[in-house]
Amino acid sequence: PRQILTYLDGVVKVEETELKPRVGFLYPVLTHNISLFINATRERDSGQYMCTVNVVDDATSTGKNVGVINLTVLVPPAAPACRLHGHPAVGANVTLSCASAKGKPSPTYRWQRTAPTPQFFFPPVQGKV
């Protein structure tokens, strides 16, 4: 675990991590609500965060002074890249593929068939137009 934020002897200290410009205490520490904020979350901010509270000269709280929270930063799926593999002719085999480069949780896909686009064919015209 990496320490990211501390309050000791009335001083707030933010450690030199990539979170430094984006993290802090939500309320003044003396309110006893030690909520932490993380601005502009990124996927790599996901993980387990532990809050440890130590009271000077208090040996009775051993093992009871740690709170744990799991943070999962959700990432919208990237626009899918879709491709047609094969030659689309009667009797041929084709493969339709669709994939998103990123997304958390992993995107799920559903294929649907829609009505084909109407195509109009005009017979060739003979004679003068």
Side-chain angles (χ1 to χ4, degrees), residues 3-6 13-20 23:
Q3 188 166 308
I4 55 173
L5 188 63
T6 58
K13 182 179 177 188
V14 182
E15 301 297 325
E16 290 295 332
T17 68
E18 66 176 25
L19 285 168
K20 185 172 184 170
V23 69

Side-chain angles (χ1 to χ4, degrees), residues 12-96:
V12 174
K13 182 179 177 188
V14 182
E15 301 297 325
E16 290 295 332
T17 68
E18 66 176 25
L19 285 168
K20 185 172 184 170
R22 304 181 292 122
V23 69
F25 289 115
L26 189 59
Y27 305 106
V29 176
L30 296 178
T31 63
H32 301 289
N33 182 337
I34 311 299
S35 296
L36 168 78
F37 69 82
I38 301 173
N39 288 333
T41 55
R42 302 172 184 160
E43 184 177 6
R44 62 182 170 267
D45 294 335
S46 294
Q48 190 173 73
Y49 290 79
M50 296 185 325
C51 174
T52 305
V53 179
N54 296 317
V55 178
V56 179
D57 298 329
D58 183 9
T60 62
S61 65
T62 304
K64 298 179 183 176
N65 61 348
V66 177
V68 178
I69 294 178
N70 288 309
L71 172 67
T72 301
V73 178
L74 304 177
V75 178
C82 300
R83 296 180 55 185
L84 167 70
H85 305 276
H87 182 67
V90 174
N93 295 326
V94 294
T95 301
L96 307 175

Side-chain angles (χ1 to χ4, degrees), residues 93-115:
N93 295 326
V94 294
T95 301
L96 307 175
S97 66
C98 201
S100 294
K102 63 181 178 179
K104 190 174 186 178
S106 295
T108 56
Y109 300 91
R110 184 177 84 203
W111 287 91
Q112 291 177 291
R113 181 175 180 235
T114 59

